[in-house]
Amino acid sequence: MFIDVIFKLVEVFKSNFFTILSLAIVSYVIQYYINFFKRSRLPGPLPLPIIGNLHQIGDDFSSAAETFRQKYGDLIEIYMGSSRIVVISRIDLAEKVWGPLSIKNTKFIMRNAHSQGVDELGLGTKGMVLNRHLESWEFNRKFLVQSSSSPSFLRESIKLECKVNDEVFKYWKIMEKERMPVSVPDWMDAIGVDVVVTTATGKRMNSTAELFNKLNINGQKSEMQGIWQNGMKFAESIFTYNESMAFMMLLTPFIREWFPGFKNLNKKYLDNRDWINAELEKMISERRKEIENTPLDQPLEPTILTILLTTNTERDLEKISVGKRDQPLENDQLSSILREVFTGGLDTTSNTLSFVIHYIAKHRDVYLKMREEILNVYGTLDNPNILLESFEKFKYMEAVIQEAIRIFPTVAMISRAATEDVDFDGYTVEADTTVFTNLKALSHNPKYFKDPEIFNPDRFLDKGSIVKYSFLPFGNGVRMCPGRYWAMVQMKTFLIKLVSTFDLELVDKNAEAKYRYATVNRPIDINIYIKSRKD
C-alpha cells in the first residue's frame, strides 16, 4: 500500500515537474523585481535576474557605459550580475569623487567595493591598485612614488630605455630596407616590457629581440640575449592579468564559476595569476642572493627591486618609512609591489604610446613641431644626449601626449568606492558601491573642449584653459597614479628618440584608431612605415 502511494506521488511529480519549475521561476522573477523597485534607484537599463545587464554590456564595458550615458544621462546605475555599480560623467560629480586630496577628507579612499574576485587575484589587501587595507596601501604607495620619481632612478631609466630604443631602431632600419610595416602595438608592448622589467630589476628582458626574430627577415637574427627569457610570454601574462581585473572585480563567484564561457575564463585568469607569482618569486629570490653576495662597501644600482629588498636594512637606498613600518619587507609585500610596477607600468604606457604614434603619423604638422622642439632643446637631431633636467622644456611634446590621452584614453573608466553613503543629485549611493568615472565622456564634452573629436595638442599649451576635473589622465587626489612621473619620462624618452630618427607614415592614411577593451583600451591595427630622417 505504502509503495503504491509513493509511485503515484512520483507520477504526479513527473507530470507536473515543468509546471512547478515554471511557477518557481516566475515567482522568483516577480519577487526580484518587487525588491528591485523598492530600492532607491538611479536611471539606467533594466537588469535581468542573476545576470543583471551583462547581456547588454557584452565584452566592452567602456563602450557600453557610453551608450547607456547617451540614453539615460550622466548619472546611471548598471548591474554586473547582482552587483550594482554607478557611472558618473559630469565634472561636478567627478569633483565629489576625485576632489579631496587627503585620506581624512575623502569619502572615496577605496578603489572598488569589496570583491571576492579581487581577493582571489591577491589584490584585496596587497599592492596598491585595488588594496583596501589602508595601512599597507599607504606604505606601498609612498614607496613606489618615492622610488620611481627619484632623480637617480629616472636617470637610470632614461639610460636603459635609450639602449633598448637604439637596439629596436636597428631592427626597424632593417625593416625599412624591406619596406616592411611596423605593427606599432606589438613593438610598443615589447619595448615596454624590456624597459620596465630591465629598469625595475636591473636584468635585461629580451622581448624586442624575440619579436624581431619572429619576423625572420632574410634569416637575420638578433644578437641580443636577455637574462630573463620568455619576455613576450611574460608580457602577455601581465596583459592577461590586467585584463582579468575587471572580470574578477565585477562578476560574482556564481557567474564566474558556473556560467559557460565565464568558467573557462575564470580558470585561465587564476592559472595566469599563479604563473606570474611564481615568476616574481624567482626574480626576488635571485636578486636577494646577489645582494647578499655583494660587499657592503660596493654600491647597488637603484632599481625598484633593489630598493624593495634593501628597504629598512643596513643597505637602505631611499630611507622610505611610513608609520611603524621599520622592518624589511616580507616576500608577499615584495611580490605585490613588483607585480604592480609591471601591471601599471606596461599596459597603460605602451598603449598610450601606440595611440600617440597613430596621431602624430596622421598629423605631419604636429610631428614636425615636435622635431623642432627637440632641435631647440638639444641643438641637434643626431643622437641627442637625453637628460632628465631637460624634460620640463618639452611643453609641446607633453601637450601631444595629453591630447592623445584626452581623445583616446587608454583607461576610459576609473573606479572608486565610498566608505559611507553619498548623495548624488538627490540619489543615495550606498557605502561600498563601486562608482566608475567615465573619463572619455568628460574629456569629450564640447562644453570644455572645442571640437572634441579633433586632434589638437595646442589646447594643452595653455594649462589655465583646461577646466578642472574635465581631464584626469592619471586620476586625482589620494589615489592618483603613483607612477605618473616615470610614465611621462618613458614616453618622452621614446618620442625624442623616435622623432629625431625617423619619419612616419600610416600604412592606411585614412585609418582611425581602433582598440580592444581588456580592462584598458588596447590599440589594434596601428601599422606604420618608417623612413630614416634625411634632413
Side-chain angles (χ1 to χ4, degrees):
M1 182 69 178
F2 178 74
I3 297 298
D4 292 338
V5 171
I6 293 297
F7 279 124
K8 287 181 180 179
L9 287 173
V10 169
E11 289 299 321
V12 169
F13 179 78
K14 285 170 62 178
S15 63
N16 291 283
F17 173 75
F18 290 106
T19 301
I20 295 170
L21 180 62
S22 299
L23 288 173
I25 293 172
V26 170
S27 175
Y28 170 79
V29 171
I30 290 173
Q31 190 60 50
Y32 172 86
Y33 283 115
I34 288 174
N35 294 335
F36 175 77
F37 287 110
K38 280 182 179 179
R39 301 176 196 144
S40 173
R41 296 185 57 243
L42 280 71
L46 187 68
L48 295 178
I50 302 177
I51 66 170
N53 300 111
L54 289 175
H55 62 298
Q56 295 165 294
I57 295 169
D59 59 1
D60 188 343
F61 176 45
S62 174
S63 177
E66 177 59 17
T67 299
F68 293 145
R69 182 194 70 82
Q70 293 175 12
K71 185 173 182 179
Y72 298 104
D74 293 328
L75 174 61
I76 64 173
E77 65 178 26
I78 305 172
Y79 281 80
M80 294 284 198
S82 59
S83 300
R84 175 183 184 245
I85 64 172
V86 172
V87 182
I88 60 174
S89 306
R90 283 202 333 254
I91 63 170
D92 60 315
L93 299 176
E95 183 175 4
K96 275 193 170 186
V97 174
W98 299 95
L101 299 178
S102 71
I103 294 176
K104 292 180 180 178
N105 294 333
T106 183
K107 296 177 182 178
F108 286 90
I109 185 60
M110 301 300 178
R111 278 295 301 268
N112 61 286
H114 177 262
S115 164
Q116 183 177 323
V118 168
D119 291 343
E120 290 176 35
L121 278 181
L123 297 174
T125 57
K126 298 174 184 176
M128 286 158 290
V129 177
L130 302 177
N131 190 348
R132 295 170 58 82
H133 186 269
L134 293 184
E135 184 182 355
S136 66
W137 164 78
E138 187 178 9
F139 174 82
N140 294 341
R141 180 182 182 278
K142 185 171 182 180
F143 173 89
L144 189 56
V145 169
Q146 290 190 18
S147 62
S148 67
S149 61
S150 70
S152 60
F153 172 79
L154 293 176
R155 289 190 188 98
E156 184 70 12
S157 178
I158 292 169
K159 183 171 69 175
L160 289 169
E161 182 169 0
C162 286
K163 185 177 180 181
V164 172
N165 292 340
D166 288 342
E167 290 170 359
V168 168
F169 289 172
K170 289 179 183 177
Y171 305 146
W172 284 13
K173 287 181 179 181
I174 294 171
M175 296 173 69
E176 176 189 358
K177 289 180 182 178
E178 300 294 326
R179 190 62 176 166
M180 289 183 65
V182 171
S183 173
V184 174
D186 290 341
W187 280 99
M188 291 306 100
D189 286 349
I191 291 170
V193 170
D194 285 359
V195 169
V196 171
V197 175
T198 303
T199 307
T201 68
K203 294 187 177 181
R204 187 71 159 83
M205 189 71 86
N206 62 343
S207 305
T208 50
E210 286 182 31
L211 183 55
F212 175 72
N213 291 342
K214 282 175 63 178
L215 296 175
N216 195 26
I217 303 174
N218 300 324
Q220 298 183 75
K221 298 295 180 182
S222 171
E223 296 179 359
M224 200 284 294
Q225 294 293 323
I227 296 174
W228 299 122
Q229 299 300 315
N230 298 319
M232 293 307 294
K233 180 180 179 181
F234 184 82
E236 199 56 45
S237 294
I238 291 295
F239 299 142
T240 298
Y241 193 88
N242 280 346
E243 181 180 312
S244 71
M245 287 186 192
F247 177 88
M248 300 295 288
M249 179 174 75
L250 296 173
L251 297 185
T252 62
F254 177 74
I255 291 176
R256 288 189 288 106
E257 294 170 8
W258 292 99
F259 276 47
F262 291 110
K263 183 177 180 180
N264 291 337
L265 268 179
N266 190 64
K267 184 178 186 306
K268 170 188 171 182
Y269 291 147
L270 293 179
D271 288 347
N272 185 68
R273 170 205 63 189
D274 295 340
W275 188 86
I276 288 177
N277 287 342
E279 290 296 302
L280 293 175
E281 287 175 9
K282 277 192 236 174
M283 291 181 183
I284 292 167
S285 176
E286 290 182 16
R287 184 55 185 153
R288 189 192 299 278
K289 289 177 183 176
E290 291 170 355
I291 293 173
E292 289 172 351
N293 293 330
T294 302
L296 283 173
D297 59 352
Q298 183 175 324
L300 301 170
E301 76 281 12
T303 67
I304 287 179
L305 181 53
T306 299
I307 297 170
L308 275 168
L309 285 164
T310 59
T311 293
N312 293 332
T313 73
E314 58 187 340
R315 304 197 69 153
D316 199 330
L317 300 179
E318 298 292 336
K319 307 298 181 187
I320 299 170
S321 61
V322 180
K324 299 178 182 179
R325 287 180 175 265
D326 58 1
Q327 299 297 315
L329 302 181
E330 302 287 343
N331 267 9
D332 62 340
Q333 293 173 304
L334 295 167
S335 293
S336 64
I337 296 175
L338 190 60
R339 180 182 58 223
E340 295 206 6
V341 168
F342 297 144
T343 56
L346 291 177
D347 232 357
T348 51
T349 303
S350 59
N351 292 340
T352 297
L353 274 174
S354 290
F355 288 124
V356 170
I357 291 171
H358 169 84
Y359 286 114
I360 62 179
K362 197 164 190 173
H363 298 270
R364 177 71 175 170
D365 58 326
V366 172
Y367 198 76
L368 292 177
K369 285 183 183 179
M370 294 173 67
R371 183 172 286 172
E372 181 181 3
E373 185 174 61
I374 296 169
L375 188 59
N376 290 337
V377 172
Y378 293 123
T380 182
L381 295 174
D382 296 323
N383 196 27
N385 182 26
I386 302 176
L387 301 172
L388 176 64
E389 290 73 17
S390 65
F391 276 25
E392 64 181 16
K393 298 177 183 178
F394 286 96
K395 305 295 185 185
Y396 188 73
M397 183 175 292
E398 187 163 319
V400 170
I401 294 170
Q402 290 175 321
E403 177 67 349
I405 295 173
R406 182 199 69 80
I407 202 168
F408 215 122
T410 294
V411 183
M413 308 282 292
I414 300 184
S415 65
R416 297 284 283 270
T419 54
E420 58 184 84
D421 292 356
V422 179
D423 177 80
F424 282 167
D425 287 357
Y427 295 98
T428 298
V429 176
E430 294 83 1
D432 207 35
T433 299
T434 300
V435 177
F436 278 90
T437 303
N438 186 342
L439 299 187
K440 189 170 184 179
L442 297 180
S443 64
H444 280 244
N445 190 328
K447 183 178 179 180
Y448 310 114
F449 297 96
K450 183 181 177 181
D451 302 320
E453 301 303 323
I454 294 177
F455 183 77
N456 176 22
D458 289 352
R459 70 175 91 236
F460 281 98
L461 294 178
D462 177 12
K463 297 293 186 183
S465 67
I466 306 299
V467 177
K468 198 170 185 181
Y469 303 109
S470 65
F471 180 63
L472 300 167
F474 296 105
N476 195 64
V478 291
R479 287 272 189 174
M480 196 171 187
C481 174
R484 58 192 179 277
Y485 300 111
W486 186 21
M488 287 301 293
V489 163
Q490 287 182 67
M491 289 189 282
K492 285 183 179 180
T493 301
F494 178 79
L495 290 171
I496 291 168
K497 297 286 286 185
L498 175 71
V499 173
S500 60
T501 305
F502 294 110
D503 284 322
L504 308 182
E505 176 189 345
L506 284 174
V507 172
D508 179 356
K509 295 183 175 63
N510 298 316
E512 298 298 328
K514 294 184 288 186
Y515 74 96
R516 174 178 68 86
Y517 178 77
T519 300
V520 297
N521 291 332
R522 302 206 67 212
I524 56 174
D525 297 335
I526 298 177
N527 299 292
I528 61 170
Y529 291 118
I530 50 97
K531 186 176 181 182
S532 296
R533 176 183 58 82
K534 300 297 182 184
D535 52 34

